[in-house]
Amino acid sequence: MNSRRSFIQKVALTAASIPLLRFQSLAAPPASDEPVLRVALMGLGGYANRVADAMKSCKKAKLTGAISGTPAKLTDWQQRFGIPEKNCYNYQTFDQIKNNPDIDVVYITTPNALHHSQVLRVAAAGKHVICEKPMAINAKEGQEMVDACKKAGVHLLVGYRMHFEPKTLEVIGMRNSGEFGKIMFFQGQCGFRIGDPTQWRLNKELAGGGSMMDIGIYAINGARYMVGEEPIWVTAQEVKTDPVKFKPGVDETIQFQFGFPSGAVASCLSTYNMNYLDRFYLNGEKGFAELQPSTGYGPIRGRTNKGELTAPHVTHQTIQMEEMADIILRGKQPLIPVNGEEGVKDLKIIDAIYAAVKSGRKEPLKLV
């Protein structure tokens, strides 16, 4: 444990990888003359409610608007979160946010296939965008979203909450300091048994796929930030045991493998048919790290060859919104990027995974 304590002391002034110090900074509000990020949430489903509840604890971000196609939800949010009626919009009228100074950024939590058009409209209205992952249903759409936001001069961020999670950052800090030695192997297992067969996540037109477009992206993105490199090839195999529930174009289970420039390899699993799969394992020549659960809403639990990870749990969405406020308003650079370019890289990998399933061959990747 002494080497880890020494590492934390050594980088305390520069890194976002020191969880305890991060929480002390989150607890303190910004100086009185610093702006607060004013947020409108689009798509008022279960996850949007989770974000809104988490933002009650934010000091640097405030919920000020809501966008939904369901009038009853807008009325409910006005009452529960104190949102003025003038800051509420539906999907036909939300372009009018262009004239609303109460809204700085729109956080989009709608089904995957809607992200592309909605991001383009928000950017055209001159507002910053936070978009849930996956950012789009393919890399072409994702790049168009990045280009549109650049042209409009607005930020495009992706809801990668794990990029700010303390135990995850603790592992990355140890890797960066060389405590695991040369990284050799990563394993990412992400899955659960999905329920209601009529939900949008099992509708290809809305989801863009199946488990890979929902839970699988955690293993894809996790492999990249845990290994600390960009993969250069992928292979993949699909298994489907229930073709009625998982219709054509909606994947049930996909195993996929990456190769990295250093020689490290990754083995990952994405599934909608198995529970108790939420584990990351990183192996190096001098040590290892394991997170289990690794991507759930928390608390994340982890250990390394040097002992248990002990960073305290704070609601992921609270940390995420505080950090994104700093990125948008104060130009902060996060330890792990959360910008649109990061989202496009994951989409390129998803495209390649689906291509590898069809071809049965090793598909090359060029992300840098």
Side-chain angles (χ1 to χ4, degrees), residues 173-196:
M174 294 176 70
R175 185 205 69 214
N176 286 344
S177 71
E179 294 192 50
F180 303 133
K182 178 180 169 60
I183 300 301
M184 306 296 293
F185 174 71
F186 171 79
Q187 183 179 55
Q189 300 170 332
C190 299
F192 62 92
R193 288 186 65 88
I194 199 164
D196 180 9

Side-chain angles (χ1 to χ4, degrees), residues 53-122:
D53 285 334
M55 285 185 65
K56 293 176 182 177
S57 300
C58 287
K59 306 298 184 183
K60 303 177 183 180
K62 179 182 180 182
L63 181 61
T64 59
I67 303 168
S68 174
T70 306
K73 288 184 178 180
L74 291 172
T75 301
D76 175 56
W77 275 52
Q78 289 173 35
Q79 297 171 349
R80 286 197 294 132
F81 299 108
I83 300 173
E85 184 177 359
K86 69 182 181 66
N87 292 355
C88 293
Y89 303 87
N90 60 38
Y91 294 127
Q92 288 72 48
T93 65
F94 76 79
D95 306 274
Q96 296 171 15
I97 60 173
K98 179 177 182 178
N99 303 313
N100 193 332
D102 292 346
I103 296 171
D104 300 315
V105 61
V106 176
Y107 191 159
I108 296 173
T109 64
T110 55
N112 305 336
L114 305 181
H115 293 174
H116 176 261
S117 63
Q118 290 169 345
V119 166
L120 297 189
R121 288 174 65 185
V122 173

Side-chain angles (χ1 to χ4, degrees), residues 27-46:
S32 58
D33 61 341
E34 290 190 358
V36 171
L37 187 69
R38 295 163 296 186
V39 182
L41 277 162
M42 178 186 292
L44 307 184

Side-chain angles (χ1 to χ4, degrees), residues 151-200:
K151 182 178 179 180
V154 298
H155 284 275
L156 172 58
L157 306 182
V158 186
Y160 289 119
R161 58 186 168 82
M162 302 313 298
H163 292 201
F164 308 109
E165 196 282 317
K167 290 185 176 69
T168 301
L169 292 176
E170 191 171 356
V171 169
I172 292 171
M174 294 176 70
R175 185 205 69 214
N176 286 344
S177 71
E179 294 192 50
F180 303 133
K182 178 180 169 60
I183 300 301
M184 306 296 293
F185 174 71
F186 171 79
Q187 183 179 55
Q189 300 170 332
C190 299
F192 62 92
R193 288 186 65 88
I194 199 164
D196 180 9
T198 66
Q199 64 181 281
W200 70 263

Side-chain angles (χ1 to χ4, degrees), residues 264-311:
V265 293
S267 176
C268 301
L269 176 69
S270 166
T271 184
Y272 267 162
N273 198 35
M274 293 176 242
N275 284 328
Y276 315 114
L277 288 176
D278 186 7
R279 177 178 179 266
F280 284 177
Y281 177 78
L282 185 70
N283 180 264
E285 288 184 328
K286 299 196 302 185
F288 74 89
E290 179 183 44
L291 298 173
Q292 186 177 15
S294 58
T295 64
Y297 294 139
I300 301 303
R301 302 187 188 281
R303 66 190 180 101
T304 75
N305 54 294
K306 297 187 177 182
E308 297 291 322
L309 299 174
T310 58

Side-chain angles (χ1 to χ4, degrees), residues 150-362:
K150 284 185 176 179
K151 182 178 179 180
V154 298
H155 284 275
L156 172 58
L157 306 182
V158 186
Y160 289 119
R161 58 186 168 82
M162 302 313 298
H163 292 201
F164 308 109
E165 196 282 317
K167 290 185 176 69
T168 301
L169 292 176
E170 191 171 356
V171 169
I172 292 171
M174 294 176 70
R175 185 205 69 214
N176 286 344
S177 71
E179 294 192 50
F180 303 133
K182 178 180 169 60
I183 300 301
M184 306 296 293
F185 174 71
F186 171 79
Q187 183 179 55
Q189 300 170 332
C190 299
F192 62 92
R193 288 186 65 88
I194 199 164
D196 180 9
T198 66
Q199 64 181 281
W200 70 263
R201 288 177 178 82
L202 296 177
N203 179 339
K204 186 179 187 300
E205 296 306 311
L206 288 176
S211 70
M212 184 61 60
M213 299 299 291
D214 179 17
I215 194 70
I217 195 168
Y218 286 98
I220 292 170
N221 194 250
R224 296 173 52 223
Y225 64 67
M226 293 288 278
V227 174
E229 299 181 61
E230 300 293 11
I232 55 176
W233 58 258
V234 61
T235 54
Q237 308 81 39
E238 182 178 4
V239 175
K240 187 174 290 192
T241 64
D242 188 346
V244 175
K245 189 173 189 177
F246 302 99
K247 295 176 174 58
V250 179
D251 47 285
E252 173 189 320
T253 300
I254 295 181
Q255 299 177 81
F256 55 98
Q257 303 80 37
F258 294 142
F260 296 89
S262 67
V265 293
S267 176
C268 301
L269 176 69
S270 166
T271 184
Y272 267 162
N273 198 35
M274 293 176 242
N275 284 328
Y276 315 114
L277 288 176
D278 186 7
R279 177 178 179 266
F280 284 177
Y281 177 78
L282 185 70
N283 180 264
E285 288 184 328
K286 299 196 302 185
F288 74 89
E290 179 183 44
L291 298 173
Q292 186 177 15
S294 58
T295 64
Y297 294 139
I300 301 303
R301 302 187 188 281
R303 66 190 180 101
T304 75
N305 54 294
K306 297 187 177 182
E308 297 291 322
L309 299 174
T310 58
H313 172 68
V314 176
T315 303
H316 295 175
Q317 292 79 9
T318 302
I319 303 174
Q320 174 189 309
M321 295 310 297
E322 295 284 69
E323 292 290 315
M324 287 185 167
D326 277 341
I327 292 169
I328 292 173
L329 297 179
R330 288 169 272 277
K332 183 173 182 179
Q333 296 298 316
L335 183 66
I336 315 170
V338 293
N339 53 33
E341 288 83 357
E342 180 82 355
V344 170
K345 288 179 180 180
D346 282 342
L347 291 170
K348 287 181 177 179
I349 294 172
I350 289 175
D351 289 349
I353 287 172
Y354 284 137
V357 165
K358 290 181 180 179
S359 71
R361 298 190 297 268
K362 181 186 290 187

